[in-house]
Amino acid sequence: MKLNDIKKITCIGAGLIGSGWATSFLLNGYDVVLYDIKEELLELSKKRIINNLSIFIDKNIITRAESEEMIARAQYTTDLETAVRDAHFIQESGPENYGIKQSVLKDIEKFTDRSTVIASSTSGLLITEIAKYAEHPERCLGAHPYNPPHLIPLVEMSKGEKTSQEVVDLAYGFYKKIGKEPIVLQKEALGFIANRLQAVLYREIVDLVLRGVCSVEDADKACLFGPGLRYGIMGPNMIFHLGGGEQGIKGMMQNLAIPAFALWLPDVAKWEKIPEEWPDIAQKGVNEAMAKRDPYSGNTTEEIAKFRDDMLISLLKLHKKL
Ligand SMILES: NC(=O)c1ccc[n+]([C@@H]2O[C@H](COP(=O)([O-])OP(=O)(O)OC[C@H]3O[C@@H](n4cnc5c(N)ncnc54)[C@H](O)[C@@H]3O)[C@@H](O)[C@H]2O)c1
């Protein structure tokens, strides 16, 4: 299969991520079929896609007529064979569970041509394991999006032991074509890259709050108004490079990071399981922070999600990604 042969895409699992992917594919001119196990979930997906597209209308990126044409290009079904039969590219976004992903893959293979690419949105499972029972594991790969997938460009691609390089190259070209920023892991890693980074940062936030160093709200402020603003512009290596002035990142490491980290790192969290009491503490802290937010940035979950999407679009425009 060649890049230009990809015309019809199927999203398996039409939840939050499947609907987001579908939005991206529709925005880029593809025909999309969404499959889920119940009609009501497909109805919800339809609403999600309409809502996702409305953000692009509000920001004058697409017109209402264009959105209607995109919505008309989406089909919905609870019949797997109908969903995948003529698909050129399948984006699987079912539940994050090896058993379910393995059995969905086996079922998909009954109805598809072996040239159809099957990409899994898994947040961190190994593609080798997901494709363990596949008849054609060479066409299976991991392609982890970041939520919301219709706005965040990153796609972390992961090759299983049997994935062919040809399939990786094809999928890479495809994601590039729809405006994504794909990266290919050089070897499989649980949690890929971004979720591992997120996990260690978040572990430290939990630890600092539980140790009484800061509140949930202040931990978020420390991220957002400090490193977070910079991370929205460039990555940590480039930031350190600028921080090193004339001496660049090498000088920054030698003069500052090596001695400072040696002092701090023995004191940071090392546990491996989020403490049981944390979900309640986190929810209480977030509820308090929501009530205190400036109304400009939203006080309800819906308002805050809208604020996030508005800001993301502004940032993406500055990055020339929209
Ligand atoms: N939520 C996130 O932030 C996020 C980000 C990146 C990747 N992911 C990954 O994307 C995948 C989907 O996550 P989500 O947040 O959209 O979950 P979700 O629960 O919103 O959606 C999963 C959908 O899969 C459907 N489903 C259940 N059994 C199925 C089956 N046998 N075949 C096909 N579909 C089935 C469910 O009905 C549901 O609609 C997971 O692998 C997850 O790890 C999630």
Side-chain angles (χ1 to χ4, degrees):
M1 169 126 30
K2 298 270 177 297
L3 189 52
N4 288 337
D5 297 331
I6 299 177
K7 298 210 162 42
K8 185 178 151 188
I9 302 171
T10 295
C11 294
I12 297 292
L16 182 72
I17 297 302
S19 306
W21 270 123
T23 309
S24 271
F25 302 146
L26 291 168
L27 279 163
N28 284 279
Y30 290 96
D31 291 335
V32 178
V33 181
L34 289 108
Y35 165 88
D36 211 306
I37 50 175
K38 287 191 194 141
E39 285 293 343
E40 60 261 37
L41 297 168
L42 293 173
E43 281 305 317
L44 179 62
S45 171
K46 209 176 279 184
K47 286 193 188 129
R48 276 185 168 138
I49 291 174
I50 292 171
N51 188 47
N52 291 346
L53 289 171
S54 73
I55 303 161
F56 292 84
I57 302 174
D58 291 348
K59 295 285 170 190
N60 295 318
I61 297 166
I62 59 169
T63 63
R64 193 161 293 281
E66 283 168 336
S67 160
E68 276 160 20
E69 181 274 325
M70 289 170 193
I71 291 164
R73 258 192 281 114
Q75 288 172 34
Y76 299 83
T77 181
T78 53
D79 181 58
L80 188 66
E81 182 176 357
T82 309
V84 300
R85 203 174 32 215
D86 316 314
H88 303 117
F89 194 100
I90 294 174
Q91 185 77 42
E92 175 276 313
S93 310
E96 184 77 348
N97 171 296
Y98 277 125
I100 298 178
K101 289 200 188 292
Q102 285 162 345
S103 97
V104 167
L105 190 54
K106 272 190 105 174
D107 290 341
I108 292 172
E109 285 201 306
K110 286 185 209 153
F111 308 117
T112 47
D113 185 90
R114 60 183 292 183
S115 66
T116 306
V117 177
I118 307 176
S120 173
S121 299
T122 177
S123 296
L125 302 177
L126 301 176
I127 195 69
T128 299
E129 193 62 22
I130 292 176
K132 190 157 93 176
Y133 306 112
E135 212 175 313
H136 295 293
E138 71 281 357
R139 42 86 169 257
C140 304
L141 75 155
H144 171 236
Y146 237 61
N147 191 45
H150 51 289
L151 290 175
I152 302 268
L154 179 67
V155 182
E156 297 181 292
M157 296 173 56
S158 175
K159 234 175 124 167
E161 275 165 19
K162 297 187 177 156
T163 311
S164 79
Q165 189 58 41
E166 199 188 336
V167 162
V168 174
D169 293 344
L170 178 63
Y172 184 91
F174 169 68
Y175 292 124
K176 268 290 216 203
K177 190 174 168 187
I178 63 166
K180 299 292 177 198
E181 273 299 339
I183 52 175
V184 184
L185 269 65
Q186 289 165 14
K187 54 166 84 165
E188 279 191 284
L190 281 165
F192 297 85
I193 301 168
N195 275 342
R196 292 171 77 107
L197 299 177
Q198 190 164 247
V200 287
L201 174 66
Y202 199 66
R203 174 170 64 183
E204 192 54 26
I205 288 174
V206 174
D207 209 63
L208 287 168
V209 175
L210 293 182
R211 274 205 218 182
V213 175
C214 61
S215 64
V216 168
E217 184 189 5
D218 282 351
D220 271 7
K221 272 191 194 167
C223 288
L224 166 60
F225 292 115
L229 280 178
R230 301 196 305 198
Y231 286 162
I233 306 167
M234 62 190 77
N237 286 298
M238 208 54 80
I239 286 170
F240 277 145
H241 180 63
L242 298 186
E246 296 288 292
Q247 298 176 54
I249 189 169
K250 187 174 171 189
M252 176 70 171
M253 291 295 118
Q254 288 169 335
N255 304 331
L256 238 154
I258 291 176
F261 284 16
L263 200 62
W264 306 331
L265 287 180
D267 194 47
V268 303
K270 309 221 173 28
W271 42 261
E272 290 174 4
K273 196 158 181 239
I274 292 181
E276 267 175 32
E277 68 269 30
W278 177 250
D280 284 332
I281 295 170
Q283 190 62 64
K284 186 166 173 284
V286 165
N287 291 347
E288 285 166 6
M290 277 167 84
K292 282 201 242 162
R293 282 168 76 90
D294 184 328
Y296 157 78
S297 58
N299 299 102
T300 64
T301 304
E302 290 71 27
E303 288 167 1
I304 297 170
K306 181 168 183 323
F307 175 74
R308 174 200 62 189
D309 293 348
D310 285 349
M311 294 291 265
L312 271 174
I313 287 182
S314 301
L315 205 50
L316 287 168
K317 282 184 174 168
L318 290 171
H319 280 287
K320 298 198 184 304
K321 291 281 167 203
L322 266 181

